[in-house]
Amino acid sequence: MTPLQQARQAAVDARARYRAGLVAPSAGQAPGLTQANMITLPREWAYDFLLFAQRNPQACPVLDVTEPGSYSTFLAEGADLRTDLPAYRVWRDGQLAEEVSDVREHWAQHDDLVSFLIGCSFTFEADLINAGIDVRHISQGCNVPMYRTNKLCRPAGRLHGEMVVSMRPIAAERVADAARITARYPGVHGAPVHVGEPALLGIDDLTRPDFGDAVTLKPGEIPVFWACGVTPQAVVMASKVPFAISHAPGHMFITDIADSYYHV
Amino acid sequence: MTPLQQARQAAVDARARYRAGLVAPSAGQAPGLTQANMITLPREWAYDFLLFAQRNPQACPVLDVTEPGSYSTFLAEGADLRTDLPAYRVWRDGQLAEEVSDVREHWAQHDDLVSFLIGCSFTFEADLINAGIDVRHISQGCNVPMYRTNKLCRPAGRLHGEMVVSMRPIAAERVADAARITARYPGVHGAPVHVGEPALLGIDDLTRPDFGDAVTLKPGEIPVFWACGVTPQAVVMASKVPFAISHAPGHMFITDIADSYYHV
């Protein structure tokens, strides 16, 4: 088997484990293949969301949109979006209602759900590491820290809200490299949206992320912020969307698409 | 004034001339600023089109979507999309009904038109020229040749059709450079979709383009094809959309956005 075929077999195996009930962060699984955020909404909300994504491409780069009622995606043949993510969040009226490992029951109550699969910054992390840049949450073995910000997204229809960002501490002399490398992945959040000065984003305390885990910021390192695919969840909350399903932060959908596909 | 301010003044002036009735191809106007294709549809078709664009990002890279009924865009403050393009095509039931220089009357008959502004390959041509690559339709002073192909787009809802491509003859030893340079503009069609062998795209005769003008292919040159923002017009035709307005090929909307904004 070629390395790509091996990675795809690892993706099939990982999705089968999640389908069988495993709940675990997906980072590091099927390396070389793109992982995706998911947000699922009734068809009646789909245009607003797709427009929101178009207007906020750094936070919401759309990799695929399913047909209403369908739970399959061209990103991974044979995958079932109701079962093949490690963990889901169910949202009602903008509130987190439950966190579950399977949403077949919820899906059965709606006949026109549309799923949006959204790029994830995991895709460019291998390139950062290969360039000798330490990706702290990987070297510390935890989830990436994510923060709500005061940075308003461009609204679309009934949807509005603030951008969520992920943060990676980068040595001052490598910040430009990190910007340059990630800029060439516009389909998976692209270049940083903010470098240094967390207070300007409304982030008071880097040690208390809103999602994921805190990581160590060493002397000489600058906190660098990328738009994050958890933004749709903040938007669902802010906009009081009646019903939505999302992945649980860090518990992504593993696709069959090579990371390199998104490199420009 | 800075060069950007000068270019923006040139854009304001050009839009005013088109508003006053001038009909002329827009190539070369307000150099340094992005020009856009336009397709305008009733709100009831907007989701299908936005989804079509998401599924066919090389042909339909969306730069902005207007609110239903609105004719303003954040791409150019104060511009009026009903009058500020040099020429429009009006489509009924998938047929070209008329070509006009002002669509205020047509607009008045619909209260919920949504306009999609789509990237144009003019954006990367300055970079090609600066790299010493001859852009033939510019050096020959004519419109870029565009061809319908046999390459099916991914359908979305009621919308389907074949990709339209633009063609530039490139010296064999510069084809890789042309691919590399344009790849970094994914928001304005990006890398070529096809290099050489027009017959494989279903193009029988390069001297007879479906839109625009034929250009000379010199010995040692390879025809290089990029996805084209005229694709939505082919889709309107193939899908028999009841009503649509578009720009006339080569008669683009001049925005206030610097070309460099779309460089990755």
Side-chain angles (χ1 to χ4, degrees):
Chain A
M1 286 201 291
T2 66
L4 180 58
Q5 287 169 327
Q6 285 173 3
R8 284 192 173 146
Q9 188 56 53
V12 168
D13 295 345
R15 292 195 298 261
R17 286 194 295 277
Y18 302 141
R19 192 180 306 170
L22 176 68
V23 176
S26 55
Q29 299 298 310
L33 297 187
T34 291
Q35 301 197 10
N37 302 274
M38 186 175 88
I39 184 84
T40 301
L41 298 162
R43 168 67 181 84
E44 201 260 314
W45 286 77
Y47 181 68
D48 282 5
F49 187 78
L50 192 53
L51 188 60
F52 185 88
Q54 193 281 325
R55 291 181 179 170
N56 299 281
Q58 286 191 291
C60 303
V62 177
L63 307 185
D64 194 30
V65 184
T66 64
E67 296 297 322
S70 166
Y71 36 84
S72 59
T73 165
F74 96 105
L75 299 174
E77 204 181 318
D80 184 331
L81 293 173
R82 304 169 304 171
T83 56
D84 289 8
L85 281 73
Y88 299 85
R89 289 183 161 183
V90 180
W91 303 84
R92 295 187 197 281
D93 300 318
Q95 304 276 333
L96 178 58
E98 47 184 327
E99 192 161 317
V100 291
S101 70
D102 180 318
V103 287
R104 279 177 295 181
E105 275 183 39
H106 305 81
W107 214 285
Q109 293 160 21
H110 297 82
D111 60 4
D112 66 352
L113 294 179
V114 176
S115 293
F116 299 85
L117 294 156
I118 292 172
C120 167
S121 53
F122 289 178
T123 296
F124 56 57
E125 290 180 343
D127 274 23
L128 293 174
I129 292 168
N130 288 337
I133 296 173
D134 183 48
V135 176
R136 190 60 36 80
H137 62 275
I138 293 180
S139 57
Q140 292 191 185
C142 61
N143 201 345
V144 65
M146 294 164 268
Y147 305 86
R148 301 174 72 167
T149 71
N150 60 12
K151 203 177 166 73
L152 285 176
C153 293
R154 279 185 70 195
R158 295 157 289 179
L159 295 176
H160 56 90
E162 287 93 18
M163 183 184 286
V164 176
V165 295
S166 62
M167 189 279 287
R168 292 162 187 78
I170 306 285
E173 76 273 17
R174 302 308 304 274
V175 169
D177 291 331
R180 177 179 58 81
I181 291 166
T182 59
R184 295 197 69 171
Y185 286 100
V188 292
H189 303 303
V193 291
H194 192 92
V195 176
E197 297 288 359
L200 294 179
L201 288 175
I203 301 171
D204 294 326
D205 185 353
L206 286 177
T207 67
R208 296 176 55 203
D210 294 296
F211 311 94
D213 302 312
V215 296
T216 307
L217 187 73
K218 298 180 184 172
E221 290 182 339
I222 309 296
V224 179
F225 300 92
W226 281 264
C228 177
V230 171
T231 301
Q233 299 183 32
V235 167
V236 161
M237 281 189 266
S239 312
K240 300 189 172 50
V241 175
F243 180 77
I245 297 170
S246 72
H247 73 290
H251 296 69
M252 322 300 289
F253 177 63
I254 300 177
T255 77
D256 287 348
I257 310 292
D259 286 336
S260 59
Y261 180 78
Y262 297 107
H263 188 258
V264 162
Chain B
M1 286 204 291
T2 66
L4 180 58
Q5 286 169 329
Q6 285 173 3
R8 285 193 173 144
Q9 188 56 53
V12 167
D13 294 346
R15 291 194 299 262
R17 285 194 296 275
Y18 303 140
R19 192 180 306 171
L22 175 68
V23 175
S26 54
Q29 299 300 310
L33 297 188
T34 292
Q35 300 195 12
N37 302 275
M38 187 175 86
I39 183 85
T40 301
L41 299 162
R43 168 68 180 84
E44 201 262 313
W45 287 78
Y47 182 67
D48 282 5
F49 186 79
L50 192 53
L51 189 60
F52 185 88
Q54 193 281 325
R55 290 181 178 170
N56 299 282
Q58 286 190 293
C60 304
V62 177
L63 307 185
D64 194 30
V65 184
T66 64
E67 295 298 322
S70 166
Y71 37 84
S72 59
T73 165
F74 96 105
L75 299 174
E77 206 182 317
D80 184 331
L81 294 173
R82 303 169 305 171
T83 56
D84 289 7
L85 281 72
Y88 299 84
R89 289 183 161 184
V90 180
W91 304 83
R92 296 187 196 279
D93 300 318
Q95 306 276 333
L96 178 59
E98 46 184 326
E99 192 160 320
V100 292
S101 71
D102 179 318
V103 288
R104 278 177 296 181
E105 274 182 39
H106 305 81
W107 214 285
Q109 293 160 23
H110 296 82
D111 60 3
D112 65 352
L113 293 179
V114 177
S115 293
F116 298 86
L117 294 156
I118 292 173
C120 167
S121 53
F122 289 177
T123 297
F124 55 58
E125 290 180 343
D127 274 24
L128 293 174
I129 293 168
N130 288 337
I133 296 173
D134 183 47
V135 176
R136 190 61 35 81
H137 62 276
I138 293 181
S139 57
Q140 292 192 187
C142 62
N143 201 346
V144 66
M146 294 164 269
Y147 304 86
R148 301 174 72 167
T149 71
N150 60 13
K151 202 176 166 75
L152 284 177
C153 293
R154 280 184 70 195
R158 295 156 289 178
L159 295 177
H160 56 90
E162 287 94 16
M163 184 184 284
V164 175
V165 295
S166 62
M167 189 279 287
R168 292 163 188 77
I170 306 284
E173 77 273 17
R174 303 306 304 274
V175 170
D177 291 330
R180 177 178 58 81
I181 289 166
T182 59
R184 297 197 68 172
Y185 285 99
V188 292
H189 303 302
V193 292
H194 193 92
V195 176
E197 297 288 1
L200 294 179
L201 288 176
I203 301 171
D204 295 327
D205 185 353
L206 286 178
T207 68
R208 296 176 53 203
D210 296 295
F211 311 95
D213 302 312
V215 296
T216 308
L217 187 73
K218 298 180 185 171
E221 289 182 339
I222 309 295
V224 180
F225 300 92
W226 280 264
C228 177
V230 171
T231 301
Q233 299 182 32
V235 167
V236 161
M237 282 188 265
S239 312
K240 300 187 171 53
V241 175
F243 180 77
I245 297 169
S246 72
H247 71 291
H251 297 68
M252 321 300 288
F253 177 62
I254 301 178
T255 77
D256 287 347
I257 310 292
D259 287 337
S260 59
Y261 181 78
Y262 297 108
H263 188 258
V264 161

